[in-house]
Amino acid sequence: MAKVQVLNVAVLDNPSPFGNPFQFEITFECMEDLPEDLEWKIIYVGSAESEEYDQVLDSVLVGPVPAGRHMFVFQADAPNTGLIPESDAVGVTVVLITCTYRGQEFIRIGYYVNNEYTEPELRENPPIKPDYTQLQRNILASNPRVTRFHINWEGSAERMEDCENVDPTSNSKVPPSCLPGKAPPLGILPDNSMDCL
Amino acid sequence: MKVYGPPWGKPIFSVDIHPDGTKFATGGQGEDSGKVMIWNMAPVLREDDEKNENIPKMLCQMDNHLACVNCVRWSNNGLYLASGGDDKLVMVWKRAAFIGPSTVFGSSSKLANVEQWRCVTILRNHTGDVMDVAWSPHDVWLASCSVDNTIVIWNARKFPEMVTWLRGHTGLVKGLTWDPVGKYIASQADDHSLRVWRTVDWQMEANITKPFSECGGTTHVLRLSWSPDGQYLVSAHAMNNSGPTAQIVERDGWKTNMDFVGHRKAVTVVKFNPKIFKKKQKNGSAPKPGCPYCCCAVGSKDRSLSVWLTSLKRPLVVIHDLFDKSIMDISWTLTGLGMLVCSMDGTVAYLDFSLDELGDPLNEEEKNSIHQNIYGKSLAITSTEAQLSTTIIENPEMLKYQQERQNSAQANLGPGSAGPESSAPKLNSVMNGESLEDIRKNLLKKQVETRTADGRRRITPLCIAQLDTGYGNTSLLLTSASKIEPMKALDSRFTERSKATPGVTAAISSIAGLTISALKDIKTKDDTSSDSEDKMASINKNLSFSKRKPETLMDGGEVVEKRKKGRPRKDKMAAPIAQPFTQPSRVAAPPAPPAALKLPTPSIKKAFSLQVSMEPAVFLEVENEVSLVAGSKLSQLRCSRDGRDWNTLLPSSVVTAAGSSSSLCLHRFDVVAVACQDRMLSVFSSCGRRLLPAIQLPTPVSALHCTAHFVMALTAGATLSVWDVQKQKALVKNESLLTILSGADTTVSQSLLTQQGVPVIGLSNGKSYCFSSSLETWTLIADKGDSLVQCADFRSCLPTQDALVSPGPLAVMQGRNLNAGRLASRLSSTPHHLQQSMTMAFLENQLASALTLQSAQEYRYWLLIYARFLVNEGSEYRLRELCKELLGPVHKSAATAWEPTTLGLRKRELLREVLPVIVENLRFQRLFTEYQDQLELLRNK
């Protein structure tokens, strides 16, 4: 069983201009004192087509983590626009928050992100070269996709292979495996959104 | 009967109803993990509640098990839920400390968890799937069994501590059941055996194989069950004449003469109704003294369920086709009238019985009296606390005590243990009054962010709540026996260190604790005297080490200090240290002494030194034949105390020396005594002043002790003398040891002098005597061969507070063999009343010994244990006599010989301590009231 349970992720400063930093307020609970730090990452999926365009926006160590409930705000700069394919700048993509312990990822939280122009005119006639200053980023905070992996928390050589509890959204129409890298159009998103708060 | 199917449709392997009957837990297969769910009982029981959408059906679901959950069991107190699964883990759940419902983060399920149950402990030890878990009566232990062929007993008061493994099964262990009176645990396995294990020593009591030899096909579980009266154990899958049965095993001799026959396929689960029943009285008919009987439900792979009464030859009811697949588990309500049954097919059925069908359940008192008749009072009483709590309390004082007890019990259990209203405990906030909202507003600014050496960001998370997973400080009754262990440490003080040169001695003293502990370690490894070289080597090693590295020494010192917690006060230890010549090995080893001299004498050395105490640091150094003045040889005695030295000269070689030192006593009267070759005994004050003229001993000295202002000399001629130096009086005058030194080989192996000046002699035959100056006779205070000591079982009466464990001379003399109840296991077939009498006799011996030894603290300690034992056993006459003696006459009269104190303890104060013990058994509330009132009366006088 995982020693760390993510209880909540609140998306702060949302929606916001594209260039604003990402801010996630993460609440987690730890069952026992962890001798090592947790490593959190924010990954921006640049293009649904290929993982090539994934950008690790930032990674932080979080610690020390004694047993108990903790929270912190993870802030990371907006993605480098130069690395995003122009055709994928506008529309739906994904941002991922991952957490690893002793180099093993045990949780992956994914959010759909919709980038669109606020000006109706730009919406109608988007420029060929995206104007990031005019783009607004809207994270679909109400519908996180959580995937948990079973890892070896004890730190011995034994590796755990089986994947724990893949995506509890059992009634979701989207299999979790297509989450990273492939952003389906917003239209097929399930509407049974659940407010995390 | 209603059928209730949890919505997920996966196999349900286990079901268990909460002791309060308001909810039940199921365990089984979830989507990708094991699943534990907690359900509301009300919608199952009442249709209206089922239809009422405001009443939640599911209370909580837990996906934490990685694989199928095979068993869920509530603790008897209802605070915990234990679950075991294919992921080899046992998890223990507790109602968590948050307020309000919540959902699993990221879960799309609208089903909020109404109650929060959180895993507080994961018990990892099994190397295979955990098949069954079971809480012992009173939740002292939790047992789990696994396909790794083992059973693990966990300390349920100190998770995740393991008590023991039960090994012996050669196949997958698939079922467990505790004896309702807590004496045994039984297990059934695929190796065609059912084994019964004793809880006293965790050894196997019986291995029953015959009814299972034919068993072929395997069942997923083999949940066996013990009847509530403890008389019968009923197995799961057994075979009789090629037909599947549930085998009845009688407690008496583990006979297997009867079985439940009729199922077409293997029996998977047997569950006794917790109630004992008696025949329903028909209206108008005269009450018949019917024999009480039990009720048992049997579930099978053939998908049918049968319910049996032990009074009937045929089943009360058989229900076929209740499920589509095998029955996996059965749970009765505590009332005995409802039953939940779960199946592989993913459904749970509720069965409702009426009193007409089952009979009249006996109330707890009647059940208790059955237990008492069969097993005696002490076992029975422990199982009736619940019932006693419903007894009307007649006395407000009694109520107060009861409430105090409950409060302290709850305090021990920590938050969350209170009633249902308060059972959603407060968030253990660490936020100093700031609301969570305020914190969140500024969290980004406030949180501590640093850079690691390699330049990475590191955030220190804000702790918003501490886990309330504590189990409280409920100390285990059973381990408190080990608190006596430190006594053994004292034995190592009888250690020869005289080889050390004076210079080294001083150094030893500075790290006395360290060396002593080193010696102790060596001693436990090898207890022969021949390795004294090694000991010295070790000391020297420590010494040289410490000289080079003083900081290491400090560390060592600290460690030693820690280890010494719970040991007796240093000044008390001083007495044994003070006499380096009574090392047992020395006495055992010497060349045959001359016939006239029964006891060995220390050899004369050129120089020796000894440490009297560590704090204040007092050393004696003796140098014999130090100077020649006019042809006579003089010996020097030097004493250093807290850096202040004195010395004196003696006309003869000093054979042995001893000193007393008390650090706490303000009016201390410390003495130093030396015995010389010319059989002269000299006594000096702590400043070196001679206190008595030289005493002529009849024979050479064998051992010398000083404690407080008492000096004791044991001579080689086997006579003993004790003097009170302060009063300048003899307490014991040349008393011969011949009375106790019976037998040719018996010799003195240990001697000591208590703080009260009572001499104690330990003999090589395991007996210890003290000389009672008031009785003017030798009295036996300890006997290692005493069968009473080894058979007495008073563990349940031991105090739980550390402070009560009392060191003293009695414990020193008995320390090693006071593993009371050690042999009790071998006597598991001993009738209860016999063991009860042995325990009583033992405790009374202890009390008498403590009294003779004038060891007040020990007297008080054993008195309270004795009182608790009397209370537990319901020995009213003795208890009353005890109270009467402690209270004394209420009205003063000249004729009374009653002493208000014993050993300096006020008897009425002792009675005040005994009264709360009496409260623990409500049976004695009249007695309590009586003495409480009289105490009040006396106080007001």
Side-chain angles (χ1 to χ4, degrees), chain B residues 68-82:
Chain B
C68 184
V69 175
N70 292 313
C71 190
V72 286
R73 293 288 180 261
W74 297 102
S75 62
N76 297 292
N77 60 16
L79 289 177
Y80 299 103
L81 175 72

Side-chain angles (χ1 to χ4, degrees), chain B residues 337-415:
Chain B
L337 296 176
M339 173 172 49
L340 282 172
V341 188
C342 73
S343 159
M344 274 293 244
D345 68 8
T347 58
V348 174
Y350 179 71
L351 281 78
D352 202 3
F353 294 90
S354 70
L355 292 174
D356 289 330
E357 289 161 336
L358 296 182
D360 278 335
L362 297 188
N363 60 30
E364 285 301 313
E365 201 171 319
E366 291 167 309
K367 187 172 162 183
N368 182 38
S369 72
I370 289 181
H371 281 174
Q372 274 189 16
N373 288 341
I374 306 174
Y375 310 106
K377 280 180 184 165
S378 111
L379 283 172
I381 193 156
T382 49
S383 58
T384 58
E385 281 162 17
Q387 170 254 324
L388 280 174
S389 66
T390 62
T391 307
I392 294 166
I393 293 170
E394 299 170 0
N395 180 326
E397 279 295 313
M398 185 112 179
L399 184 67
K400 201 181 85 196
Y401 275 116
Q402 288 275 337
Q403 283 166 344
E404 278 169 10
R405 254 181 84 209
Q406 278 171 8
N407 290 342
S408 66
Q410 282 183 358
N412 279 341
L413 285 165

Side-chain angles (χ1 to χ4, degrees), chain A residues 1 37 39 58 61 171, chain B residues 64 108 456-459:
Chain A
M1 181 192 158
D37 286 356
E39 183 181 3
D58 205 348
L61 298 173
N171 56 351
Chain B
N64 305 46
S108 63
R456 303 195 52 190
R457 290 169 65 194
R458 184 177 192 238
I459 296 171

Side-chain angles (χ1 to χ4, degrees), chain A residues 29-32 67-68, chain B residues 80 92 94-97 118-121 159 413-415 428 466-472:
Chain A
E29 190 170 84
C30 185
M31 295 203 19
E32 48 195 272
Chain B
Y80 299 103
V92 180
K94 188 185 175 191
R95 183 95 181 260
R118 184 218 312 259
C119 178
V120 289
T121 312
F159 285 130
L413 285 165
N428 212 346
Q466 283 159 348
L467 288 193
D468 66 328
T469 55
Y471 286 87

Side-chain angles (χ1 to χ4, degrees), chain B residues 522-533:
Chain B
I522 294 160
K523 230 178 139 58
T524 50
K525 274 180 218 143
D526 190 343
D527 219 0
T528 62
S529 61
S530 61
D531 68 337
S532 55
E533 304 289 337

Side-chain angles (χ1 to χ4, degrees), chain B residues 530-589:
Chain B
S530 61
D531 68 337
S532 55
E533 304 289 337
D534 299 352
K535 291 178 193 172
M536 283 314 295
S538 146
I539 292 171
N540 289 331
K541 205 172 122 199
N542 277 322
L543 267 179
S544 52
F545 191 62
S546 60
K547 273 178 187 161
R548 255 181 278 128
K549 287 188 173 179
E551 70 280 6
T552 326
L553 171 64
M554 288 302 290
D555 291 345
E558 272 170 30
V559 170
V560 169
E561 277 307 304
K562 248 184 197 166
R563 289 175 53 166
K564 262 198 291 252
K565 271 185 189 160
R567 288 192 200 167
R569 296 213 57 82
K570 285 167 191 165
D571 54 337
K572 284 185 185 162
M573 291 192 290
I577 294 170
Q579 182 44 266
F581 296 103
T582 48
Q583 186 188 29
S585 53
R586 263 201 68 85
V587 179

Side-chain angles (χ1 to χ4, degrees), chain A residues 1 3 5-10 23 25 27-31 37 39 58-65 67-75 109 111 144 146 148 150 154 164-166 168-171 192 194 196-197, chain B residues 31-33 63-66 87-89 91 93 97-98 103-110 118-122 124 427 436 439-441 443-444 447 449 452 454 456-467 469:
Chain A
M1 181 192 158
K3 285 187 186 170
Q5 305 276 344
V6 174
L7 299 177
N8 192 29
V9 176
Q23 281 186 12
E25 178 206 270
T27 310
F28 64 96
E29 190 170 84
C30 185
M31 295 203 19
D37 286 356
E39 183 181 3
D58 205 348
S59 83
V60 292
L61 298 173
V62 170
V65 183
R69 197 188 281 195
H70 311 276
M71 68 196 304
F72 70 100
V73 175
F74 187 3
Q75 176 170 315
I109 301 154
Y111 286 99
V146 181
R148 297 183 173 96
H150 185 203
E154 301 307 323
E164 172 191 352
N165 188 17
V166 180
T169 55
S170 50
N171 56 351
N192 60 338
M194 177 200 68
C196 300
L197 295 175
Chain B
E31 282 295 329
D32 295 292
S33 62
D63 291 338
N64 305 46
H65 270 287
L66 299 173
D87 54 4
K88 307 167 193 166
L89 305 179
M91 295 190 185
W93 306 85
F98 346 140
T103 51
V104 177
F105 174 68
S107 165
S108 63
S109 165
K110 287 265 165 98
R118 184 218 312 259
C119 178
V120 289
T121 312
I122 300 179
R124 305 163 207 265
L427 193 68
L436 189 60
I439 286 174
R440 290 180 60 184
K441 272 182 211 154
L443 183 57
L444 183 60
Q447 72 186 13
E449 190 169 321
T452 61
D454 53 353
R456 303 195 52 190
R457 290 169 65 194
R458 184 177 192 238
I459 296 171
T460 304
L462 177 77
C463 184
I464 55 173
Q466 283 159 348
L467 288 193
T469 55

